[in-house]
Amino acid sequence: MTRITNHMPTRELQALDAAHHMHPFTDDGALARKGARIITRGRGVWLTDSEGHEILDAMAGLWCVNIGYGRREIAEIAARQMEELCYYNTFFQTSHVPAIALATKIAELAPGDLNHVFYAGSGSEANDTNIRLVRRYWDLKGQPERTVIISRRNAYHGSTMGGASLGGMAGMHAQGGLPIPGIVHIGQPDWWSEGGDMTPAEFGLARARELENKIREIGPERVAAFIGEPIQGAGGVIVPPETYWPEIQRICDDYGILLIADEVITGFGRTGNWFGSQTMGIRPHIMTIAKGLSSGYAPIGGSIVCDEVAGTIAAAGEDFNHGYTYCGHPVAASVALKNLEILEEERIIDHVRDVAHPYLAEKWQGLTAHPLVGEAKLVGLMGSIALTPDKERRARFASEPGTVGYRCRERCFANDLVMRHVGDRMIIAPPLVITPEEIDIFIERATKSLDECYAGLKADGLLRAA
Ligand code: PMP
């Protein structure tokens, strides 16, 4: 068997990758021609690739490596747990210490009466669990017709059949006959792109009231839950106007429907609090968690469930017929617990709130002086900038949406910076441990990339508005 190592030439690794590895959310044909960038090492906010480039990762992987790459304590805990008990399940009336300890810790950190954890292997799985949980809950409450879940267009809730259905990504729905029945979508609170002549406050209210209209249209007795990311991540780091969440909360309360906050990105410090629900002032019945729960060191996710829902399911007198082999996996759970200890003991969320956010916020806002940048948003350490050919009009480019964003991302890559693009918005979510010195390097590389992108657009006649 060929031994494949870090020391192989990049081109050979790329060829094997193209031959045998199907990539998620990728045009594999195009990638095979270009060759994947191969990442070999991570330390703090820095990645190294197979060519020896030192790359600043302003996306924390996929929004997950909150404590930064390469923490030895986590590796040690994982090794110890693998020796002690590498695996056991939590079905059939058994449990184990890592699952118990982590659930206890999560219940302590989560606000209000969110005291119960149903584990999953990922955010997608956890959202599938949520569909099962809320339907089961209403069935047990004697309202089995309450099955419909309302979500939003351009939301991201995962890539399983349930997760992708809850999500509102048109490109995902188009492949595979989604959404599954019983899931409907309303508009998103994206003022920059869709707010027209309304003020942000007016638009926030208008979009929230789409929920009320949809509930009335379906019939309140048929609606089980509303799901939303406190701040949409994969949709482009869309920060809703201040009027939005209070109105959504009021509507959920008035109609007695369950509120699910998908905290997969916003959880565990990303917004400057433990949870994005705290930052946005909402009181969910269920939270979806993953990513920052383990800082990506091991795959783990889950649903944090309130007393009422968990209590109703526990009092059913029969099994909840749902679970995954890796629910509460002991190695992943120990890793997650250690990650939470590090977040707490090193006061990393205080660092986000008091140091990194204020330092970055000023520079991030400063990017709006660049001719390409229309608006800049930053909550805690998740942010976005809108690229536009005409700031006054909040205009789109005449080119296919995403053309300019893609070109900007390519310039970032060339400058050893990971920023992602969603359409023509650039988004960031760096590791929470990023220092002011690293923020300076980040902004320097981002500015250089924007300048190069601008020059390229100009040269190619692409600065035109739609
Ligand atoms: N929900 C949200 C808000 C997410 O951002 C993601 C992943 N980007 C998911 C769910 C799905 O998580 P996973 O990829 O771990 O299945």
Side-chain angles (χ1 to χ4, degrees):
M1 201 175 99
T2 331
R3 216 170 105 69
I4 297 166
T5 74
N6 265 354
H7 303 293
M8 277 175 84
T10 302
R11 258 180 295 112
E12 284 180 36
L13 289 168
Q14 287 171 330
L16 291 168
D17 186 66
H20 303 297
H21 179 193
M22 295 174 75
H23 288 250
F25 287 100
T26 296
D27 172 346
D28 272 321
L31 181 63
R33 288 188 291 280
K34 187 176 174 188
R37 191 163 199 172
I38 294 162
I39 305 300
T40 53
R41 190 183 152 89
R43 288 290 178 277
V45 304
W46 297 96
L47 298 169
T48 309
D49 73 6
S50 56
E51 300 285 275
H53 293 106
E54 294 287 319
I55 305 159
L56 196 153
D57 182 8
M59 279 306 300
L62 278 180
W63 332 72
C64 50
V65 189
N66 286 8
I67 61 167
Y69 294 92
R71 294 291 303 247
R72 168 162 295 151
E73 306 91 306
I74 302 254
E76 285 168 356
I77 281 283
R80 219 180 302 151
Q81 185 59 48
M82 279 188 192
E83 279 188 45
E84 181 81 14
L85 179 69
C86 66
Y87 175 77
Y88 199 72
N89 66 72
T90 50
F91 293 25
F92 313 133
Q93 306 186 347
T94 58
S95 199
H96 50 67
V97 175
I100 298 167
L102 180 62
T104 306
K105 185 70 196 171
I106 292 170
E108 177 199 316
L109 295 173
D113 66 350
L114 292 164
N115 289 319
H116 314 268
V117 180
F118 194 103
Y119 289 113
S122 66
S124 301
E125 283 181 8
N127 276 328
D128 277 28
T129 295
N130 292 339
I131 299 173
R132 306 285 309 273
L133 275 173
V134 300
R135 290 183 176 168
R136 177 76 178 140
Y137 169 77
W138 285 117
D139 193 22
L140 290 168
K141 295 302 268 188
Q143 300 181 53
E145 66 287 358
R146 272 200 194 254
T147 55
V148 178
I149 301 175
I150 302 175
S151 179
R152 303 172 303 172
R153 287 188 279 281
N154 200 36
Y156 191 85
H157 297 298
S159 197
T160 50
M161 293 293 279
S165 295
L166 289 172
M169 296 290 172
M172 294 175 78
H173 290 178
Q175 297 175 352
L178 302 178
I180 57 174
I183 294 172
V184 298
H185 298 83
I186 58 173
Q188 60 169 333
D190 178 359
W191 176 79
W192 174 265
S193 299
E194 301 175 8
D197 294 332
M198 283 189 238
T199 64
E202 289 164 353
F203 179 71
L205 275 184
R207 281 290 151 100
R209 288 189 183 142
E210 284 188 23
L211 175 60
E212 189 155 31
N213 294 339
K214 186 58 86 179
I215 293 170
R216 289 190 179 147
E217 180 192 317
I218 297 166
E221 71 291 346
R222 292 188 51 226
V223 180
F226 172 76
I227 183 167
E229 303 152 82
I231 296 164
Q232 285 156 264
V237 185
I238 309 297
V239 181
E242 281 177 10
T243 48
Y244 181 76
W245 274 115
E247 186 66 0
I248 292 280
Q249 180 75 59
R250 177 199 62 82
I251 295 164
C252 290
D253 292 348
D254 282 1
Y255 291 88
I257 68 171
L258 298 175
L259 174 55
I260 306 169
D262 186 335
E263 295 263 8
V264 167
I265 288 176
T266 51
F268 305 102
R270 177 57 59 197
T271 69
N273 285 297
W274 276 99
F275 296 97
S277 294
Q278 294 161 323
T279 304
M280 305 312 276
I282 46 182
R283 298 183 310 280
H285 298 92
I286 296 175
M287 279 183 184
T288 321
I289 53 171
K291 295 191 191 277
L293 168 60
S294 67
S295 283
Y297 280 75
I300 184 166
S303 306
I304 323 180
V305 183
C306 70
D307 290 343
E308 163 65 16
V309 172
T312 301
I313 287 169
E318 59 176 345
D319 289 354
F320 176 40
N321 296 320
H322 175 66
Y324 312 106
T325 299
Y326 297 130
C327 275
H329 188 285
V331 177
S334 318
V335 161
L337 188 60
K338 188 71 198 170
N339 170 63
L340 298 182
E341 275 171 32
I342 289 176
L343 279 171
E344 212 168 26
E345 282 165 13
E346 298 181 11
R347 309 179 70 89
I348 291 173
I349 299 173
D350 291 348
H351 169 77
V352 172
R353 200 172 38 231
D354 302 335
V355 181
H357 170 83
Y359 192 79
L360 176 58
E362 198 195 323
K363 292 171 191 287
W364 195 240
Q365 202 54 45
L367 291 179
T368 56
H370 193 280
L372 266 187
V373 180
E375 70 162 2
K377 292 283 184 188
L378 186 73
V379 178
L381 284 178
M382 64 191 289
S384 59
I385 47 179
L387 306 183
T388 174
D390 181 346
K391 305 181 192 207
E392 278 308 303
R393 288 174 43 229
R394 311 203 307 271
R396 295 170 198 272
F397 291 95
S399 50
E400 183 71 19
T403 308
V404 173
Y406 178 80
R407 287 173 70 123
C408 185
R409 191 192 74 179
E410 290 295 284
R411 294 323 307 153
C412 293
F413 257 19
N415 289 314
D416 293 336
L417 170 66
V418 179
M419 275 213 274
R420 207 167 119 182
H421 78 105
V422 177
D424 295 323
R425 268 185 110 82
M426 303 306 297
I427 61 176
I428 56 156
L432 305 184
V433 293
I434 193 167
T435 63
E437 295 72 32
E438 289 164 338
I439 289 172
D440 287 343
I441 300 171
F442 162 48
I443 292 292
E444 195 181 296
R445 291 186 185 181
T447 306
K448 182 162 185 274
S449 305
L450 285 165
D451 288 346
E452 291 171 3
C453 177
Y454 185 70
L457 294 172
K458 211 168 181 180
D460 296 341
L462 286 172
L463 278 173
R464 283 173 303 114

